[in-house]
Each structure stands twice: as C-alpha cells, then as structure tokens.
Amino acid sequence: MNWIDYLGPMMDGAWVTVKLTLYSTILGAIFSFMFGLGKLSRHWYFKVPSVAYIEVFRGTSLLVQMFWLFYALPLVGQLMGVDTRIPPVIAGILALSANIGAYGAEVVRGAIQAVSKKQYEAATALNFTPKQTLWRIALPQAIPEMMPVFGNLAIQNLKDTALVSLITISDLAFVSERLRNLTQESAVVYTLALFMYFGMALVLAGMLKMLSQYVGTWRRAAGGK
C-alpha cells in the first residue's frame, strides 16, 4: 500500500479523536467549575464531595478509571441487579472529562483564591450578594488567569484520548495500530499519526488562543474598562 492509502482510514480515526477531545474538554470544563467552586463552598455538603472527587481522580490513573467504567462498573451492576453497562464512547468521554475536571477544579479554586481580598471587601462594602461578587468581581479577574493552564490541560486531554483505543474505540491510535498490524509499516503509519496529533494540537492551541483573547475582552467589559 502507498502511504496515501492510509490517509482515508486515519482521517476517520482522527475525526473520532477530535469529537472525543471536544466533548470531554467541554464536560471537563463544567466539572472544573462545579467542583472547584464546590471546594470553596462553606457548606460541607458541597465541599466534601468536591474534595473527594478531586482527590480520587487526581490520585488514580486515567487508564484505570477508564477500565473501571467500562469493565468493572457492569460487574458491580450485576451484583446489584442493575444494568450499568456503558457504551465505550460514553465511558471514554466520562473518564477523560472526570480526569481533566479534577485538575481543572484546582485551577479554578486557585485562581479565585488569588483574587485580592480587597476586591471582596469592596464588594461587601457595596452590599453585593455572594452571587454578584462571584460573577462581577471574582470570575472576571480569575478566568483570564485560568486560561493558560486550561489550554495546557486541553492539549494534554487531546493526547490522552489515545487511551480510548484500549476500550475498542476506533480513534486515531486504534486505527493506526490496526493499520500497522495489517501492513507492518510501522514507520509510515506512526509517522503519519505523529503529524496528525501534532496538527490537531496546533489547531486546538490556536482556538484556545482566540478564546483567551475573547475572555480578555469580556474581562475589560465586565470591569467597565
């Protein structure tokens, strides 16, 4: 086979990788804010589950988390008499999202805590509610500080999607391995895969840069500058 013949199936696999990255990054961002803010809560019923989630998913392997959702959870369901089987795509997205969300939650927490105490004191003096303080004082200042780290997490998430090939999802890594087994052209197949992952990372980095610029504009608008 000519190397051009590999591009069709590998592009199909790359498209699966793109969708996995998109869905898991968006859901992971939601988890980041949900549990990051939960960890800052004064209420134990928000704080305790948030701390537990962050510590468990940061302290265990992403691969093991994925295997647990796909292989172990159905067995637990059988013992309870409940069907808890998850399609491989859903298991992959959930594992990736939960993992990136745990790291992102610490980014959210740290950025919000880094806002000057004087800002919160000013909000109190202006009789702002906690919700107004969060949306008008804390987040407009904290989110731009989060963006570089979130960008790194998103790119890491793109690379981590290769692990879903181990639960039978036909992403770029899975297709590349199948082509290698069929053709024994390891150098050609993996070189193409390398450049494809690099290209996707460049595009993702560019999109995140534009998002960061938009967030900076939102911050200036929220601050009245």
Side-chain angles (χ1 to χ4, degrees):
M1 292 179 67
N2 190 290
W3 67 269
I4 297 177
D5 297 326
Y6 301 151
L7 290 179
M10 291 184 75
M11 288 297 292
D12 291 339
W15 178 236
V16 173
T17 294
V18 168
K19 291 190 288 186
L20 287 168
T21 302
L22 178 64
Y23 298 149
S24 60
T25 300
I26 292 174
L27 185 57
I30 294 171
F31 286 164
S32 296
F33 281 92
M34 182 186 305
F35 292 102
L37 294 173
K39 189 172 181 178
L40 293 173
S41 175
R42 297 178 180 177
H43 303 292
W44 68 268
Y45 44 84
F46 289 134
K47 186 166 187 173
V48 171
S50 297
V51 171
Y53 161 80
I54 292 169
E55 295 304 321
V56 167
F57 282 94
R58 287 203 311 158
T60 55
S61 165
L62 170 58
L63 182 59
V64 174
Q65 295 163 14
M66 200 172 295
F67 281 174
W68 191 89
L69 286 171
F70 188 62
Y71 295 113
L73 184 59
L75 298 177
V76 174
Q78 287 180 5
L79 295 175
M80 301 174 62
V82 180
D83 185 2
T84 54
R85 288 174 296 178
I86 300 177
V89 172
I90 301 300
I93 290 174
L94 284 176
L96 290 166
S97 302
N99 191 268
I100 190 177
Y103 287 96
E106 283 295 278
V107 176
V108 171
R109 178 199 58 77
I112 290 177
Q113 287 186 324
V115 175
S116 171
K117 291 183 179 180
K118 293 181 180 179
Q119 299 287 329
Y120 293 107
E121 292 170 358
T124 302
L126 292 171
N127 203 29
F128 278 16
T129 65
K131 184 177 180 180
Q132 288 175 318
T133 301
L134 177 65
W135 283 98
R136 302 197 62 180
I137 302 296
L139 288 179
Q141 296 181 68
I143 288 179
E145 303 301 323
M146 303 174 195
M147 291 307 297
V149 185
F150 274 149
N152 291 336
L153 287 175
I155 293 173
Q156 182 63 47
N157 189 48
L158 166 64
K159 294 183 288 185
D160 286 343
T161 58
L163 294 175
V164 304
S165 63
L166 298 175
I167 56 172
T168 72
I169 298 177
S170 297
D171 70 322
L172 178 56
F174 183 90
V175 172
S176 298
E177 179 64 14
R178 186 170 59 185
L179 285 173
R180 186 196 69 82
N181 289 331
L182 289 172
T183 65
Q184 300 302 310
E185 293 283 353
S186 301
V188 175
V189 170
Y190 286 129
T191 299
L192 287 173
L194 188 72
F195 280 109
M196 284 185 173
Y197 274 111
F198 181 62
M200 288 187 287
L202 284 179
V203 172
L204 180 58
M207 294 172 62
L208 290 167
K209 184 176 181 180
M210 290 189 292
L211 179 60
S212 181
Q213 292 173 345
Y214 171 78
V215 168
T217 303
W218 172 70
R219 174 180 179 174
R220 289 191 292 272
K225 298 179 181 180

